[in-house]
Amino acid sequence: MALETKQVAMTGNEAVANAIKQINPDVIAAYPITPQTDIVQYYSSFVADGQVDTQMVTVESEHSAMSATIGASAAGARAMTATSSQGLALMHEMLHIASGFRLPIVMPVVNRAVSAPINIHCDHSDTMAALTTGWLQIYSENAQEAYDNVIQAMRIAEDPRVRLPVMVCYDGFITSHAVENLFLLPDETVKQFVGEYNPKHTLFDFDSPVTFGPLVLPDYFSEIKAQEADAMRAAKEVILEIAEEFAKISGRKYGYYEGYHLEDAERVIVVLSSTAGTAKEVVDELRAQGEKVGLMKPRVIRPFPAEEFVKALSGAKVVAVMDRAETFSTQGGQLFTELRAAFYEAPTKPLMRNYIFGLGGRDTTTAEIRRVFEDLKKDQERGSVDRKVTHLDVRV
Amino acid sequence: MSLKGYKDLPEGGVIPERGNSVLYKTGEWRSMKPVYYPEGCVHCLLCWAFCPEPAIKVENGRMLGIDYDHCKGCGICARECPRKEKALQMVRE
Ligand code: SF4
Ligand code: SF4
């Protein structure tokens, strides 16, 4: 059967708004002013034009946006919101409540820097600060992936083995506001794919009423958190199952990561989201010159598929992990430290170094990526890295 | 009482049954307790009206005594009792 798809030109945010439109959630609660993006602006026109059945709630802050989304989800609604940057930071307290209540909320997050200094451009400091909130995190390279990931995220979140909230992350402005060609699935196909939401407990089930959010003291708190950790572990296989199903309706394949010329690569860059697109260009160039270089673009980092990542990089000699956010641990970015830790038990380990790059929207072009590969080449020849953590492209 | 393992608990700390707050023994953390002397009581039931827990036992309009499983020892009953020391007295646990 030929797959039915429609090619369109859209910004990342418009594509994501369309994915949400096709999901047609019961409730969207969102803060309607910056740092909100135009996802909800597009969506409010769908609501005004009667194209969706969604109840749209505009609230006075991002904290309230997440609170209202949690309330709606606990009431049994399929509930979503969207945010970015400071908005995600303001939601932080409620992020733990969404996951602690096991509510399958899907939230696109447009990755942008967190102040200060004030800056509105892309980096990953917003979502990296939310890694310990019990939300899944899926990263997208471009508008197509953001669209595809939102649709898959709904199924992953609502799977009875998971029942955890999911952030779908993509790069601010680079992906969120640039117009790209992408393929949309037919409305009916998405409707079939996401199906009906069957919540386990709801506040509106008057035959078997429940209490959400009771006090849980030291005698039970650890058990509730162990359940959450179990659900996160279970999410690993669910992510692959849903990806496989999604490939059938879209022809597009997803996994925990995308490898680009990875099989025989000796020097590998690991980087999330849009910068992977730039890196592919450089890999092509260097491959044409016979250089054994490759790229690994993690798609999922919560849960963190440590074994799979280690396996994917097991043939590499030198790896540069590029983090688009500081941790201020002085030991490197989040992706670097987690990936490096994953190699602790591995029988053979590549040399590994870290680059903190692209903060506050600093462009990372093919020139910078080329420089990283040059560093890796010197490291390989020397047999050691000359610097563990480098702030890429920073003036001295 | 043996506590349930994590796989047997409802997800997300949800309480899936109604009206089970009586199972929670609020009396466990009491440091003072009211002692009831029926001979001094006039059964005005002010103690019952003011008690923040359902800890004053009443039947047929008559005060019966204290439910120590749920009495948290706040002392409101003894303070409001018009018969004061004659009917209700707070003592250390
Ligand atoms: S001490 Fe407080 S809780 Fe106990 S019976 Fe009196 S009023 Fe009720
Ligand atoms: S308030 Fe005092 S007098 Fe009145 S019913 Fe209670 S114990 Fe008896």
Side-chain angles (χ1 to χ4, degrees), chain A residues 168-216:
Chain A
V168 175
C169 315
Y170 54 101
D171 283 351
F173 296 101
I174 303 160
T175 305
S176 68
H177 287 64
V179 177
E180 294 175 30
N181 274 340
L182 70 146
F183 294 93
L184 297 188
L185 296 164
D187 292 351
E188 194 50 38
T189 307
V190 177
K191 193 177 169 189
Q192 295 280 329
F193 183 78
V194 295
E196 282 283 314
Y197 171 42
N198 293 307
K200 187 167 186 183
H201 298 293
T202 87
L203 291 173
F204 280 170
D205 183 351
F206 299 117
D207 296 324
S208 43
V210 295
T211 303
F212 273 88
L215 177 72
V216 175

Side-chain angles (χ1 to χ4, degrees), chain B residues 19-55:
Chain B
N20 67 357
S21 61
V22 291
L23 300 177
Y24 188 48
K25 304 260 191 284
T26 43
E28 279 173 3
W29 31 276
R30 185 176 55 223
S31 64
M32 302 278 286
K33 72 171 179 188
V35 177
Y36 176 54
Y37 301 101
E39 54 289 359
C41 174
V42 295
H43 300 284
C44 66
L45 300 191
L46 278 177
C47 54
W48 171 81
F50 277 94
C51 174
E53 293 291 327

Side-chain angles (χ1 to χ4, degrees), chain A residues 221-374:
Chain A
F221 194 85
S222 301
E223 280 69 21
I224 302 298
K225 290 292 146 188
Q227 286 180 339
E228 253 179 271
D230 252 17
M232 197 53 104
R233 258 188 293 277
K236 257 189 81 176
E237 66 172 291
V238 174
I239 288 165
L240 292 189
E241 282 174 28
I242 305 288
E244 210 167 293
E245 260 187 68
F246 187 78
K248 285 189 197 126
I249 60 161
S250 67
R252 293 185 289 276
K253 291 195 169 60
Y254 288 93
Y256 300 133
Y257 66 91
E258 184 195 343
Y260 193 74
H261 289 287
L262 201 51
E263 299 72 35
D264 63 339
E266 293 178 358
R267 297 177 293 284
V268 177
I269 284 180
V270 178
V271 70
L272 296 168
S273 299
S274 70
T275 313
T278 315
K280 283 174 187 169
E281 182 76 19
V282 180
V283 168
D284 285 345
E285 247 174 57
L286 296 176
R287 280 274 168 180
Q289 296 162 22
E291 303 272 342
K292 288 197 161 180
V293 294
L295 165 80
M296 188 183 98
K297 176 189 76 183
R299 171 178 176 243
V300 181
I301 64 167
R302 282 293 176 277
F304 194 80
E307 302 94 73
E308 290 79 4
F309 288 171
V310 165
K311 206 163 155 225
L313 294 170
S314 58
K317 300 280 183 278
V318 203
V319 173
V321 183
M322 296 180 66
D323 272 285
R324 204 162 188 165
E326 249 296 359
T327 57
F328 304 106
S329 71
T330 73
Q331 298 304 304
Q334 196 66 40
L335 194 55
F336 174 65
T337 45
E338 290 194 24
L339 200 57
R340 206 160 181 261
F343 270 98
Y344 191 76
E345 281 92 12
T348 56
K349 311 179 212 315
L351 297 173
M352 273 182 123
R353 61 186 295 163
N354 185 218
Y355 292 87
I356 308 287
F357 80 100
L359 303 187
R362 172 73 56 91
D363 275 339
T364 301
T365 66
T366 49
E368 283 80 44
I369 301 287
R370 229 175 277 124
R371 215 151 57 226
V372 171
F373 274 125
E374 279 162 23

Side-chain angles (χ1 to χ4, degrees), chain B residues 34 47 50-53 55-56 66 70-78 90:
Chain B
C47 54
F50 277 94
C51 174
E53 293 291 327
I56 304 285
I66 315 283
H70 299 98
C71 164
K72 54 191 180 189
C74 66
I76 293 174
C77 54
M90 295 304 289

Side-chain angles (χ1 to χ4, degrees), chain B residues 80-91:
Chain B
E80 297 299 330
C81 174
R83 300 283 290 156
K84 295 287 175 238
E85 250 77 291
K86 294 190 189 74
L88 275 176
Q89 252 181 50
M90 295 304 289
V91 299

